Amino acid sequence: MPKPVLGPERRTNPLIWCVALLCTFITLAVIITGIIVFIGFIIVRPKVPQMSVASANIDTFAYDMSNLLSIKVSIVINAENDNVKAHATFYETIYTLYFHDVKVAYLRADPFDVRKNSSIPLYYPVESTSIALTPQEGANAEVALNQRLVVLDLKGSSRTRWRLGLVGSVKFWLHLNCKLKLPLDGRTIYPKCSTKSR
């Protein structure tokens, strides 16, 4: 029986070995990073910081025959960090206050930190300039005066970032959309409204 004829022995290109080693190192790095992140999350048990409306009351709601509206409102928003092992930074915080789609005011906050397992109240004494209303918007203002109840919408967002030791920093958007029903007798309300509900 004739023996098979074998060609010359072919050697693997060194470039292929380099690529294979590089892929192996990248795979190991991804696996090790995943294990570290997983262990970090188990140890720290991070919770997403939140924003919530703590209280609100209306001091002034005036609408006159020239279709001009003036509003004075006090709103307290809590920035909450329930993480026991990580402090949080809040930034790009901006909310808009509306009366039936009419912009009343912008509520902003400069970047700030909230320590571990604590909260910071943000006080917003809102006083609008005179706002010109259309006839339909004026009718909404008259209804609010007759019912002795003003409905305002508070919408906006904030960004948050917190560090988890070796894991690194984690970032989230926090969106708030609240309907505030404020009695005209000046009583303070405590709405159950926060970014947790989104």
Side-chain angles (χ1 to χ4, degrees):
M1 182 170 189
K3 294 183 180 179
V5 178
L6 299 175
E9 187 177 321
R10 298 177 63 186
R11 298 184 58 165
T12 305
N13 191 324
L15 183 61
I16 293 176
W17 281 109
C18 290
V19 171
L21 286 173
L22 181 63
C23 289
T24 303
F25 285 131
I26 291 173
T27 303
L28 287 173
V30 169
I31 292 171
I32 291 170
T33 303
I35 291 170
I36 290 172
V37 169
F38 180 72
I39 292 172
F41 270 73
I42 289 176
I43 292 172
V44 177
R45 296 189 181 192
K47 297 178 183 176
V48 177
Q50 301 295 334
M51 299 289 270
S52 63
V53 179
S55 65
N57 70 283
I58 193 160
D59 301 313
T60 303
F61 185 84
Y63 173 68
D64 58 26
M65 298 304 291
S66 56
N67 288 343
L68 293 178
L69 175 68
S70 297
I71 298 178
K72 187 176 180 182
V73 185
S74 297
I75 299 173
V76 179
I77 298 176
N78 275 342
E80 305 166 4
N81 178 18
D82 293 333
N83 289 295
V84 179
K85 299 181 180 180
H87 86 277
T89 300
F90 291 78
Y91 60 103
E92 294 182 24
T93 300
I94 180 167
Y95 300 103
T96 307
L97 190 66
Y98 296 91
F99 172 71
H100 291 276
D101 295 327
V102 177
K103 290 179 184 174
V104 173
Y106 292 105
L107 287 62
R108 301 176 190 265
D110 291 330
F112 61 94
D113 290 339
V114 179
R115 299 176 67 118
K116 305 170 186 177
N117 203 28
S118 63
S119 65
I120 291 180
L122 305 175
Y123 297 96
Y124 292 102
V126 179
E127 187 167 5
S128 74
T129 56
S130 294
I131 303 168
L133 300 182
T134 65
Q136 178 58 51
E137 294 162 352
N140 292 333
E142 289 179 3
V143 169
L145 287 169
N146 291 335
Q147 294 181 347
R148 307 292 296 159
L149 184 71
V150 177
V151 179
L152 299 174
D153 291 305
L154 183 64
K155 299 178 183 180
S157 62
S158 179
R159 297 197 72 182
T160 183
R161 175 180 64 243
W162 75 103
R163 288 197 61 82
L164 299 175
L166 297 175
V167 175
S169 63
V170 182
K171 299 178 182 179
F172 278 96
W173 277 101
L174 304 176
H175 299 282
L176 190 67
N177 188 352
C178 291
K179 192 170 288 293
L180 307 175
K181 298 180 180 180
L182 305 175
L184 284 178
D185 59 9
R187 277 183 294 143
T188 299
I189 66 163
Y190 304 93
K192 294 181 179 178
C193 180
S194 73
T195 55
K196 294 177 183 175
S197 60
R198 290 186 61 82

